[in-house]
Amino acid sequence: MRRRTTRSALLAGLALALALLPLTGCAGAGGGDGGGGLAAAGPPPPEEPSGRSCAALPADGPGSLESMGRGPVLTAIDQAKDLTAMSALIRTARAKDLLDSMDNVTVFAPDDAAFGRLTDDQRKALATPPGAGDLLRKLIVVRDLRRSDLTDTSYTSLQGAVLQASGSGEEYRIGGAQVLCGSIRTANARLAMLDRVPDFGG
């Protein structure tokens, strides 16, 4: 009787262990091949940055695509000569640790001219940690967005604001802002430079 009880307990434990194993091949919606197999999908192929301002990036050294790809997204932003206001925004928000700890996110970075077009009241609000942090979280989507993901759809930012994406080919907009150079891959994020601060929905 005791042997039967012990055997039943072992079987129950084995069943529980199997139930807790991860399901191979089930990561991602719509990934089934209809054949009943468990073929795992590989990572998507690398994507070249695109946009009218990509050609203006340095060919090598700081600010080049190669250099920005070696470090985290904050390092890439610090290197870009047209993103000094975005770099200052991150430091005002005290968000260095936040950005460095994130992975596979997309950061939309308005260029210096975009920040220059803000009103005095808007710039004054961004000079405080709460104001800077609020805008920064609106500019981050917790997803690695490629060009094909920016066609007539919307995404919810880290802050909860809605960003409307649209475009095709080499021309894309996010929240109405033109993507000047997008799909810049850094060590922990994808970076897209914008010509203005996007419009946000709620």
Side-chain angles (χ1 to χ4, degrees):
M1 184 70 173
R2 183 173 179 178
R3 182 178 301 171
R4 182 178 300 172
T5 302
T6 302
R7 184 171 178 272
S8 298
L10 288 173
L11 289 174
L14 179 59
L16 178 61
L18 289 174
L20 293 176
L21 286 175
L23 299 178
T24 305
C26 291
D33 58 7
L38 293 177
E47 181 172 271
E48 289 296 320
S50 64
R52 65 172 185 252
S53 294
C54 290
L57 296 176
D60 51 39
S64 67
L65 293 174
E66 181 184 3
S67 180
M68 289 192 286
R70 288 197 297 262
V73 66
L74 179 55
T75 301
I77 290 171
D78 286 344
Q79 291 182 12
K81 65 182 181 64
D82 292 330
L83 297 182
T84 59
M86 183 69 181
S87 179
L89 181 84
I90 293 168
R91 279 162 174 74
T92 301
R94 300 168 187 165
K96 179 183 183 301
D97 291 342
L98 170 68
L99 284 178
D100 286 347
S101 68
M102 302 188 87
D103 192 28
N104 287 327
V105 302
T106 300
V107 179
F108 295 103
D111 66 2
D112 291 346
F115 280 98
R117 285 191 287 271
L118 296 177
T119 66
D120 290 342
D121 287 344
Q122 287 173 322
R123 284 196 291 269
K124 186 179 296 184
L126 296 181
T128 67
D134 184 66
L135 176 58
L136 179 61
R137 289 189 297 273
K138 288 179 177 178
L139 295 169
I140 298 173
V141 173
V142 187
R143 180 171 168 179
D144 181 20
L145 298 178
R146 299 164 69 86
R147 280 197 301 273
S148 59
D149 298 314
L150 299 181
T151 304
D152 298 324
T153 189
S154 62
Y155 296 98
T156 301
S157 71
L158 185 62
Q159 187 264 5
V162 176
L163 287 163
Q164 181 66 44
S166 62
S168 62
E170 298 293 312
E171 297 290 326
Y172 292 90
R173 290 184 178 273
I174 187 80
Q178 181 77 41
V179 177
L180 297 174
C181 187
S183 209
I184 300 171
R185 189 66 207 172
T186 71
N188 69 327
R190 201 174 292 273
L191 175 66
M193 301 180 186
L194 306 180
D195 70 342
R196 66 182 179 86
V197 175
D199 298 322
F200 303 102

